[in-house]
């Protein structure tokens, strides 16, 4: 089979599995938001080709030199704030609405699944649209901080004047939110399909979530631009861009359903 035929056939098999699912879980990573204009960390166009991941994303480096983080964040924020859900996010919301997915578990911090209409969303790495002061606990929208960044590096907390404002995201060296973790594992123990989208599956402990479903023998479908370490365990691997593939998958799922009168 030539490449295009092979991809079409893989997508059809993936759609048949999704169509049969009643409590599937989508596990997503940065790749699902790439077509919304948000750079991934890993992968060929990843941000880490430009920046040292330890300096930008570890709690230890952040506490030593918060200005380094905020300088990069100040540059990236306008594109991040302007980003909108793409057809991949919307297709996942539709699959939940139509009874195939129970939830989306995401490693993303961009909030785009929520904007797309996903109702049950588990955010394992927090949400970058909020900022919290590590000294006094005050919270404010990230957007507010952006206005201060031009004259104030690192930005100061408006409540206590401290210099430890941190985005409400999980950095390397921090633990994941316990409630989100336990909800994600519960979903993985109960799901009848695991659909991985746009994740390199190299970030732990998050990647234990699809791993838990795989250990139970639940079918795994991977939709990703590049190979992942779990491809060997997958029932179907569809290689390509999720913003194009997921709407097509949704169309196939819908057309495989008997008409309701
Ligand atoms: P990753 O950056 O490690 O990997 C992204 C994967 O997506 C790669 O394997 C790449 O091949 C694939 N990909 C790229 N474009 C794609 C597309 N259009 N369609 C399908 N696949 C595509 O992402 P990760 O595994 O999610 O881990 C990175 C960590 O960094 C996450 O835990 C997250 O917290 C954080 N992060 C979040 C965002 C965001 O919120 N949008 C962006 C960057 C990083
Ligand atoms: Zn404070």
């Amino acid at each position: 089979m030539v490449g295009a035929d092979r991809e079409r056939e893989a997508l059809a098999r993936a759609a048949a599995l999704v169509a049969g699912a009643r409590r599937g879980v989508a596990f997503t990573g940065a790749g699902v938001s790439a077509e919304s204009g948000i750079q991934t960390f890993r992968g060929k166009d990843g941000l880490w080709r430009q920046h040292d991941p330890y300096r930008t994303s570890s709690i230890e480096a952040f506490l030593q030199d918060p200005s380094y983080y905020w300088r990069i964040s100040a540059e990236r924020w306008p594109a991040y704030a302007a980003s909108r859900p793409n057809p991949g996010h919307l297709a996942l919301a539709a699959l939940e609405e139509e009874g195939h997915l129970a939830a989306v578990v995401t490693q993303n911090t961009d909030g785009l699944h929520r904007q797309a209409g996903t109702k049950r969303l588990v955010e394992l790495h927090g949400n970058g649209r909020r900022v919290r002061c590590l000294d006094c606990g005050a919270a404010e929208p990230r957007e507010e901080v952006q206005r201060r960044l031009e004259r104030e590096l690192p930005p100061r907390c408006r409540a206590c004047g401290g210099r430890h404002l941190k985005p409400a995201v999980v950095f390397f060296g921090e633990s994941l939110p316990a409630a989100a973790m336990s909800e994600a594992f519960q979903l993985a123990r109960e799901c009848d399909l695991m659909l991985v989208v746009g994740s390199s599956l190299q970030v732990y402990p998050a990647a234990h979530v699809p791993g838990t479903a795989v250990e139970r023998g639940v079918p795994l479908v991977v939709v990703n631009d590049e190979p992942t370490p779990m491809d060997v365990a997958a029932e179907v691997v569809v290689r390509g861009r999720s913003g194009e593939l997921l709407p097509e998958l949704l169309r196939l799922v819908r057309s495989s359903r008997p008409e309701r009168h």
Side-chain angles (χ1 to χ4, degrees):
M1 268 197 292
V2 292
D5 282 345
R6 199 167 37 228
E7 285 312 310
R8 236 193 319 275
E9 195 252 350
L11 199 62
R13 284 192 293 132
L17 287 168
V18 173
R22 291 292 170 271
R23 45 181 198 286
V25 169
F27 177 87
T28 68
V32 80
S33 295
E35 287 153 271
S36 293
I38 300 181
Q39 250 179 314
T40 61
F41 279 174
R42 297 173 183 74
K44 52 183 178 338
D45 303 317
L47 188 67
W48 288 353
R49 301 271 159 117
Q50 298 154 30
H51 297 290
D52 171 0
Y54 176 78
R55 283 196 73 189
T56 48
S57 310
S58 78
I59 186 68
E60 209 185 342
F62 177 79
L63 292 175
Q64 258 169 30
D65 181 12
S67 298
Y68 181 83
Y69 169 85
W70 283 110
R71 208 170 289 124
I72 294 169
S73 179
E75 268 170 39
R76 297 190 69 215
W77 177 256
Y80 191 92
S83 65
R84 292 290 171 265
N86 68 57
H89 296 107
L90 296 170
L92 291 175
L95 288 172
E96 178 188 26
E97 179 71 28
E98 294 172 29
H100 300 289
L101 294 181
V104 173
V105 175
T106 191
Q107 301 168 85
N108 295 343
T109 55
D110 55 35
L112 292 180
H113 284 299
R114 183 73 74 204
Q115 278 189 34
T118 288
K119 292 197 178 66
R120 189 162 178 196
L121 177 65
V122 182
E123 294 180 312
L124 293 177
H125 293 160
N127 192 308
R129 294 181 193 269
R130 286 188 308 274
V131 167
R132 194 172 286 283
C133 171
L134 297 180
D135 298 326
C136 77
E140 64 175 313
R142 169 66 182 78
E143 187 66 42
E144 301 285 316
V145 177
Q146 185 71 11
R147 301 199 188 106
R148 309 207 288 279
L149 284 173
E150 270 177 33
R151 11 183 194 94
E152 204 174 78
L153 264 179
R156 284 171 179 265
C157 171
R158 280 194 297 196
C160 76
R163 291 171 179 272
H164 296 108
L165 281 185
K166 181 184 165 291
V169 303
V170 176
F171 279 7
F172 290 117
E174 291 189 294
S175 46
L176 275 62
M181 279 299 270
S182 88
E183 187 177 2
F185 281 108
Q186 186 69 25
L187 284 160
R189 282 192 297 270
E190 291 171 356
C191 69
D192 58 0
L193 172 90
M194 180 55 68
L195 172 63
V196 169
V197 184
S199 176
S200 64
L201 295 177
Q202 287 169 24
V203 179
Y204 281 89
H208 285 309
V209 172
T212 297
V214 169
E215 279 164 21
R216 292 176 43 232
V218 165
L220 170 70
V221 174
V222 175
V223 178
N224 203 55
D225 219 16
E226 290 166 78
T228 83
M230 278 188 216
D231 288 2
V232 287
E235 197 91 358
V236 187
V237 176
V238 193
R239 195 63 56 72
R241 293 156 65 90
S242 51
E244 292 160 13
L245 292 170
L246 292 181
E248 185 57 16
L249 181 123
L250 174 65
R251 200 184 59 75
L252 293 170
V253 167
R254 284 174 170 165
S255 67
S256 75
R257 251 190 327 237
E259 289 294 320
R260 282 193 204 130
H261 293 287

